[in-house]
Amino acid sequence: MAENREVLLKQDERVYYDEKCPGCKIDKLKQSNPNIPFKHLFYVFIVALVADLPIATLFPFMYFMVRDFHIAKREEDIGYYAGAIGASFMCGRFFTSLFWGMIADRYGRKPVIIFGTIAVLIFNTLFGLSTNFWMAVSMRFLQGCLCGNLGAVKAYASEICRKEYQALGMSIISTAWGIALVIGPALGGFLAQPAEKFPDVFSKESLFGRFPYFLPCLFISIIALVITILCFWLPETLHFHNKNDEEEHEKLCDRLEASTYGSDLDLNSQKCEEDCQTPQQSLYKNWPLMSSIIVYCVFQLHDMAYAEIFPLWAVSPKKLGGLSYSSSQVGEALSISGMGMLLFQLFVYPPLEKKCGFLKLTQIGAVVTIALLSTYPLMVNLSGLTLTLVIDYASVMKNIVSVSIATGLFLLQNRAVSQKQRGAANGISMAGMSLFKAAGPAGGGSLFSWAMSRQHASFLPGVHMVFFILNVIEFIALMMTFKPFLDVAT
């Protein structure tokens, strides 16, 4: 056993290594290679992408899908049913996120990630074949239940990088959402209803004519299949030690603790100390973790409500305060905003985070969001190129600040716990986020339909009430980022 273990004690380094443990191999790789792990971050990116694409693809055609189900008695009621379909995915994720986090902590990140991509492959395909409202809701709910890879990949991103690159690793997850907002709405907007848009290629009697929303879902499922295959080469990051190894590990850590070192420890040093802390602190009593999760959930409630409301507002007729956009125009606007988010995350956010800190960026982003959304009801008075440019600019700014907030809170959550609890911690985060994200589309759709019925109200008529309530939610989230509520050392 001695030959399988290396103990290196240096002035600035403390490393425990077991060559049979996949997590130790990753730790040794990080110790020997100070560069950015581009290969591993690529895996993080594609796994996060396949989890986000099914969400982003729906935005442009959800309104028309519900209309074609003929379940809404009035045009104003479509928002209720569109919100229910959007919420069903997050409801499923809420019920199983903690379970998948615990599985990831026990059996590894890789099995959960692979199973999640397979779930996307199967249930996203079946969703595209939905013939009625309840089938669509069921397929989305099951996909949410069985796709637990986003929480696992957040833990993976924090473990695959040295500490100085953890902000980059978390921003890669947000960048994947940006790419999803480029690809997803474009696929949903241009590939939905192909028999109407491309009659020379797809006839109304063909498969894609009878199932007008199957083509974009099929395309996403093909991407999921490719990513599932690639994930079999994904290296595991979780540490596996048998009982004897763990006892020797603890003794080793005790000897290391007796030595005197500076406070600036590297990632491997932190890992060794964290593993020695037994018993593990209850996650629910870890206020730095729980406070960051609560703040994150409130921000996500706002973002999902906005994501539901924006396309509903854009495709609504101008007589109801909308923009009379087509699904293609909505797809274009969301794709442009996604591209802006991508460029910001890759080239602007990392240096800004180092200079300002992610908490200050979160607070600035919330203030910008409130100012921005206050201008949305006035955009209905614009038209033509002016309207296009203003909407595109506003969408880019909104998504940039949203992803900055999410990235910062990802970092806070993962730094608040040790590796042994990171999967479960991300599971709790995903469960809470999913509950709020389920409330976001359902509440957003209901809010929009209610606001559309009060066009002639004396106080905040129509869409004015919609964006006012969104700003109230954002303001509440902003207030929660200050002490004493957000008790996290940043």
Side-chain angles (χ1 to χ4, degrees):
M1 185 176 295
E3 62 270 14
N4 295 333
R5 191 168 288 106
E6 299 174 14
V7 180
L8 305 179
L9 295 178
K10 298 181 181 180
Q11 182 65 27
D12 297 319
E13 298 177 347
R14 292 184 287 179
V15 180
Y16 171 82
Y17 173 64
D18 182 343
E19 68 178 15
K20 294 181 180 180
C21 171
C24 286
K25 291 180 181 178
I26 293 297
D27 281 352
K28 187 176 183 181
L29 178 63
K30 291 188 292 184
Q31 181 70 25
S32 61
N33 183 12
N35 299 320
I36 299 174
F38 289 106
K39 177 182 176 181
H40 298 130
L41 290 179
F42 172 74
Y43 282 113
V44 170
F45 171 75
I46 62 175
V47 171
L49 179 66
V50 78
D52 292 332
L53 276 176
I55 302 173
T57 308
L58 267 63
F59 297 148
F61 66 74
M62 181 63 70
Y63 182 94
F64 303 100
M65 189 180 203
V66 173
R67 183 197 63 187
D68 292 347
F69 286 150
H70 303 294
I71 193 171
K73 296 180 180 179
R74 301 179 304 163
E75 186 177 25
E76 293 88 344
D77 294 335
I78 290 178
Y80 290 110
Y81 297 98
I85 294 176
S88 60
F89 177 86
M90 293 300 168
C91 284
R93 181 180 280 178
F94 165 72
F95 286 115
T96 60
S97 289
L98 180 56
F99 168 77
W100 288 119
M102 294 171 66
I103 293 295
D105 279 343
R106 184 175 180 84
Y107 299 105
R109 319 311 187 197
K110 183 175 179 177
V112 174
I113 288 172
I114 292 177
F115 189 88
T117 57
I118 293 174
V120 172
L121 167 63
I122 295 172
F123 291 101
N124 194 61
T125 302
L126 294 175
F127 174 75
L129 296 171
S130 298
T131 55
N132 57 65
F133 171 76
W134 292 110
M135 180 179 177
V137 169
S138 300
M139 293 303 102
R140 294 288 292 173
F141 178 79
L142 289 172
Q143 183 176 333
C145 284
L146 298 175
C147 180
N149 55 4
L150 195 54
V153 82
K154 288 179 183 178
Y156 188 91
S158 67
E159 294 162 357
I160 206 69
C161 297
R162 294 166 65 97
K163 187 172 182 179
E164 60 265 31
Y165 300 130
Q166 283 183 352
L168 176 62
M170 290 301 170
S171 70
I172 289 293
I173 297 175
S174 301
T175 299
W177 175 243
I179 289 289
L181 282 180
V182 176
I183 300 175
L187 291 174
F190 295 118
L191 298 184
Q193 302 168 310
E196 295 181 14
K197 297 175 181 176
F198 314 106
D200 295 337
V201 180
F202 303 98
S203 67
K204 291 187 177 181
E205 291 76 25
S206 67
L207 177 66
F208 299 108
R210 290 184 290 116
F211 301 98
Y213 308 102
F214 178 54
L215 186 58
C217 294
L218 177 63
F219 198 94
I220 299 301
S221 297
I222 292 173
I223 295 175
L225 175 61
V226 174
I227 292 176
T228 300
I229 295 171
L230 290 176
C231 282
F232 282 95
W233 286 271
L234 182 77
E236 179 59 72
T237 59
L238 187 64
H239 288 262
F240 294 98
H241 302 284
N242 59 40
K243 186 175 181 179
N244 292 333
D245 287 340
E246 289 179 355
E247 290 177 354
E248 291 191 26
H249 190 189
E250 290 175 4
K251 292 177 182 178
L252 172 65
C253 287
D254 290 339
R255 293 196 301 270
L256 292 176
E257 286 298 323
S259 302
T260 302
Y261 293 97
S263 60
D264 186 16
L265 303 177
D266 65 11
L267 193 59
N268 289 309
S269 160
Q270 282 189 333
K271 188 262 167 195
C272 183
E273 292 174 353
E274 290 167 352
D275 285 352
C276 291
Q277 296 172 359
T278 58
Q280 295 286 352
Q281 180 187 17
S282 170
L283 291 176
Y284 296 103
K285 295 180 181 179
N286 184 339
W287 182 244
L289 170 67
M290 297 308 296
S291 62
S292 61
I293 289 176
I294 293 170
V295 175
Y296 175 62
C297 288
V298 178
F299 275 117
Q300 289 303 300
L301 171 67
H302 175 276
D303 286 346
M304 285 305 292
Y306 171 84
E308 181 73 18
I309 287 169
F310 177 79
L312 293 175
W313 170 62
V315 301
S316 295
K318 290 220 169 189
K319 66 180 181 179
L320 297 177
L323 304 179
S324 296
Y325 267 27
S326 65
S327 62
S328 297
Q329 288 174 305
V330 174
E332 289 174 7
L334 293 176
S335 295
I336 290 172
S337 66
M339 182 59 71
M341 181 197 301
L342 169 64
L343 296 175
F344 177 84
Q345 282 295 110
L346 289 178
F347 302 110
V348 181
Y349 181 81
L352 271 182
E353 187 272 331
K354 288 182 179 179
K355 184 175 182 180
C356 302
F358 41 75
L359 183 57
K360 184 176 291 186
L361 287 180
T362 296
Q363 294 164 346
I364 293 173
V367 172
V368 171
T369 296
I370 293 172
L372 191 64
L373 292 189
S374 299
T375 67
Y376 271 48
L378 306 177
M379 295 180 189
V380 70
N381 300 316
L382 304 176
S383 60
L385 180 61
T386 303
L387 174 62
T388 301
L389 293 176
V390 171
I391 284 293
D392 289 346
Y393 173 78
S395 296
V396 169
M397 290 298 299
K398 174 65 178 70
N399 285 305
I400 280 176
V401 297
S402 295
V403 80
S404 299
I405 291 169
T407 301
L409 293 173
F410 287 166
L411 283 166
L412 291 180
Q413 292 164 25
N414 281 277
R415 289 180 180 178
V417 294
S418 64
Q419 190 198 44
K420 286 185 177 181
Q421 294 181 305
R422 199 164 285 145
N426 278 283
I428 295 173
S429 174
M430 291 299 298
M433 176 206 69
S434 299
L435 180 62
F436 278 73
K437 278 193 170 185
S446 299
L447 170 63
F448 184 80
S449 293
W450 171 70
M452 292 301 98
S453 66
R454 55 187 305 279
Q455 293 293 322
H456 305 292
S458 58
F459 177 70
L460 297 176
V463 296
H464 291 269
M465 177 60 76
V466 172
F467 292 108
F468 172 76
I469 292 179
L470 285 178
N471 275 340
V472 170
I473 298 172
E474 189 77 359
F475 180 77
I476 292 172
L478 171 62
M479 292 298 100
M480 294 171 71
T481 62
F482 294 96
K483 291 184 176 180
F485 187 85
L486 189 62
D487 186 17
V488 177
T490 58

